mmCIF file of all heavy atoms in Angstrom:
data_model
loop_
_atom_site.group_PDB
_atom_site.id
_atom_site.type_symbol
_atom_site.label_atom_id
_atom_site.label_comp_id
_atom_site.label_asym_id
_atom_site.label_seq_id
_atom_site.Cartn_x
_atom_site.Cartn_y
_atom_site.Cartn_z
ATOM 1 N N ASP F 150 73.774 106.809 -9.635
ATOM 2 C CA ASP F 150 74.942 107.174 -10.419
ATOM 3 C C ASP F 150 76.108 106.201 -10.521
ATOM 4 O O ASP F 150 77.019 106.415 -11.202
ATOM 5 C CB ASP F 150 75.424 108.649 -10.161
ATOM 6 C CG ASP F 150 75.993 108.764 -8.651
ATOM 7 O OD1 ASP F 150 75.769 107.826 -7.905
ATOM 8 O OD2 ASP F 150 76.508 109.756 -8.389
ATOM 9 N N TRP F 151 76.043 105.103 -9.725
ATOM 10 C CA TRP F 151 76.977 104.101 -9.821
ATOM 11 C C TRP F 151 76.327 102.875 -10.354
ATOM 12 O O TRP F 151 75.033 102.642 -10.136
ATOM 13 C CB TRP F 151 77.566 103.780 -8.419
ATOM 14 C CG TRP F 151 78.406 104.683 -7.845
ATOM 15 C CD1 TRP F 151 78.869 105.876 -8.440
ATOM 16 C CD2 TRP F 151 78.969 104.716 -6.564
ATOM 17 N NE1 TRP F 151 79.680 106.696 -7.545
ATOM 18 C CE2 TRP F 151 79.804 105.852 -6.376
ATOM 19 C CE3 TRP F 151 78.824 103.873 -5.483
ATOM 20 C CZ2 TRP F 151 80.404 106.204 -5.239
ATOM 21 C CZ3 TRP F 151 79.626 104.013 -4.273
ATOM 22 C CH2 TRP F 151 80.406 105.203 -4.124
ATOM 23 N N THR F 152 77.024 102.034 -11.030
ATOM 24 C CA THR F 152 76.434 100.655 -11.576
ATOM 25 C C THR F 152 76.656 99.621 -10.535
ATOM 26 O O THR F 152 77.778 99.224 -10.026
ATOM 27 C CB THR F 152 77.148 100.260 -12.827
ATOM 28 O OG1 THR F 152 76.910 101.436 -13.846
ATOM 29 C CG2 THR F 152 76.427 99.115 -13.483
ATOM 30 N N TRP F 153 75.590 99.085 -9.998
ATOM 31 C CA TRP F 153 75.568 98.196 -8.819
ATOM 32 C C TRP F 153 75.373 96.817 -9.323
ATOM 33 O O TRP F 153 74.637 96.534 -10.368
ATOM 34 C CB TRP F 153 74.487 98.535 -7.764
ATOM 35 C CG TRP F 153 74.610 99.971 -7.167
ATOM 36 C CD1 TRP F 153 74.212 100.995 -7.701
ATOM 37 C CD2 TRP F 153 75.308 100.157 -5.954
ATOM 38 N NE1 TRP F 153 74.569 102.019 -6.883
ATOM 39 C CE2 TRP F 153 75.315 101.579 -5.745
ATOM 40 C CE3 TRP F 153 75.973 99.398 -5.110
ATOM 41 C CZ2 TRP F 153 75.769 102.217 -4.727
ATOM 42 C CZ3 TRP F 153 76.652 100.062 -3.921
ATOM 43 C CH2 TRP F 153 76.485 101.453 -3.801
ATOM 44 N N VAL F 154 75.838 95.837 -8.604
ATOM 45 C CA VAL F 154 75.588 94.319 -8.838
ATOM 46 C C VAL F 154 74.131 94.164 -8.817
ATOM 47 O O VAL F 154 73.455 94.617 -7.757
ATOM 48 C CB VAL F 154 76.340 93.404 -8.045
ATOM 49 C CG1 VAL F 154 77.841 93.489 -8.154
ATOM 50 C CG2 VAL F 154 76.035 93.555 -6.486
ATOM 51 N N PRO F 155 73.412 93.613 -9.789
ATOM 52 C CA PRO F 155 71.993 93.415 -9.672
ATOM 53 C C PRO F 155 71.452 92.627 -8.546
ATOM 54 O O PRO F 155 70.341 92.915 -7.998
ATOM 55 C CB PRO F 155 71.620 92.948 -11.039
ATOM 56 C CG PRO F 155 72.880 92.291 -11.696
ATOM 57 C CD PRO F 155 74.009 93.027 -10.950
ATOM 58 N N ASP F 156 72.095 91.523 -8.183
ATOM 59 C CA ASP F 156 71.679 90.669 -7.008
ATOM 60 C C ASP F 156 71.761 91.470 -5.710
ATOM 61 O O ASP F 156 70.948 91.347 -4.910
ATOM 62 C CB ASP F 156 72.362 89.263 -7.068
ATOM 63 C CG ASP F 156 73.860 89.440 -6.868
ATOM 64 O OD1 ASP F 156 74.521 90.354 -7.128
ATOM 65 O OD2 ASP F 156 74.425 88.242 -6.454
ATOM 66 N N GLY F 157 72.813 92.228 -5.547
ATOM 67 C CA GLY F 157 72.991 92.880 -4.373
ATOM 68 C C GLY F 157 72.033 94.159 -4.200
ATOM 69 O O GLY F 157 71.494 94.344 -3.199
ATOM 70 N N LEU F 158 71.699 94.591 -5.391
ATOM 71 C CA LEU F 158 70.660 95.652 -5.487
ATOM 72 C C LEU F 158 69.292 95.106 -5.107
ATOM 73 O O LEU F 158 68.504 95.708 -4.357
ATOM 74 C CB LEU F 158 70.537 96.372 -6.738
ATOM 75 C CG LEU F 158 69.922 97.596 -6.829
ATOM 76 C CD1 LEU F 158 70.431 98.753 -5.812
ATOM 77 C CD2 LEU F 158 70.010 98.276 -8.219
ATOM 78 N N ALA F 159 69.052 93.940 -5.546
ATOM 79 C CA ALA F 159 67.732 93.240 -5.249
ATOM 80 C C ALA F 159 67.727 92.866 -3.698
ATOM 81 O O ALA F 159 66.753 93.057 -3.074
ATOM 82 C CB ALA F 159 67.651 91.987 -6.053
ATOM 83 N N ALA F 160 68.927 92.418 -3.191
ATOM 84 C CA ALA F 160 68.912 91.989 -1.791
ATOM 85 C C ALA F 160 68.789 93.313 -0.943
ATOM 86 O O ALA F 160 68.089 93.400 0.118
ATOM 87 C CB ALA F 160 70.293 91.451 -1.387
ATOM 88 N N TYR F 161 69.438 94.381 -1.280
ATOM 89 C CA TYR F 161 69.363 95.806 -0.594
ATOM 90 C C TYR F 161 67.895 96.284 -0.605
ATOM 91 O O TYR F 161 67.478 96.627 0.426
ATOM 92 C CB TYR F 161 70.246 96.739 -1.415
ATOM 93 C CG TYR F 161 70.216 98.019 -0.813
ATOM 94 C CD1 TYR F 161 71.004 98.487 0.330
ATOM 95 C CD2 TYR F 161 69.569 99.129 -1.307
ATOM 96 C CE1 TYR F 161 70.985 99.671 1.038
ATOM 97 C CE2 TYR F 161 69.686 100.497 -0.790
ATOM 98 C CZ TYR F 161 70.320 100.751 0.389
ATOM 99 O OH TYR F 161 70.451 101.917 0.913
ATOM 100 N N GLU F 162 67.133 96.250 -1.653
ATOM 101 C CA GLU F 162 65.765 96.600 -1.746
ATOM 102 C C GLU F 162 64.892 95.717 -0.794
ATOM 103 O O GLU F 162 64.040 96.271 -0.095
ATOM 104 C CB GLU F 162 65.126 96.542 -3.195
ATOM 105 C CG GLU F 162 65.886 97.682 -4.044
ATOM 106 C CD GLU F 162 65.604 99.135 -3.538
ATOM 107 O OE1 GLU F 162 64.564 99.431 -3.025
ATOM 108 O OE2 GLU F 162 66.602 99.923 -3.781
ATOM 109 N N ARG F 163 65.240 94.432 -0.798
ATOM 110 C CA ARG F 163 64.282 93.536 0.089
ATOM 111 C C ARG F 163 64.715 93.902 1.563
ATOM 112 O O ARG F 163 63.857 93.655 2.341
ATOM 113 C CB ARG F 163 64.685 92.027 -0.371
ATOM 114 C CG ARG F 163 64.096 91.658 -1.574
ATOM 115 C CD ARG F 163 64.498 90.131 -1.821
ATOM 116 N NE ARG F 163 63.796 89.714 -3.087
ATOM 117 C CZ ARG F 163 62.753 88.946 -3.259
ATOM 118 N NH1 ARG F 163 62.142 88.608 -2.102
ATOM 119 N NH2 ARG F 163 62.326 88.696 -4.429
ATOM 120 N N LEU F 164 65.974 94.178 1.846
ATOM 121 C CA LEU F 164 66.361 94.426 3.178
ATOM 122 C C LEU F 164 65.728 95.663 3.670
ATOM 123 O O LEU F 164 65.325 95.747 4.811
ATOM 124 C CB LEU F 164 67.911 94.505 3.235
ATOM 125 C CG LEU F 164 68.488 94.775 4.628
ATOM 126 C CD1 LEU F 164 67.953 93.850 5.754
ATOM 127 C CD2 LEU F 164 70.075 94.721 4.588
#
Side-chain angles (χ1 to χ4, degrees):
D150 63 352
W151 290 356
T152 306
W153 298 88
V154 296
D156 60 344
L158 198 52
Y161 181 75
E162 294 300 328
R163 286 177 183 259
L164 181 53

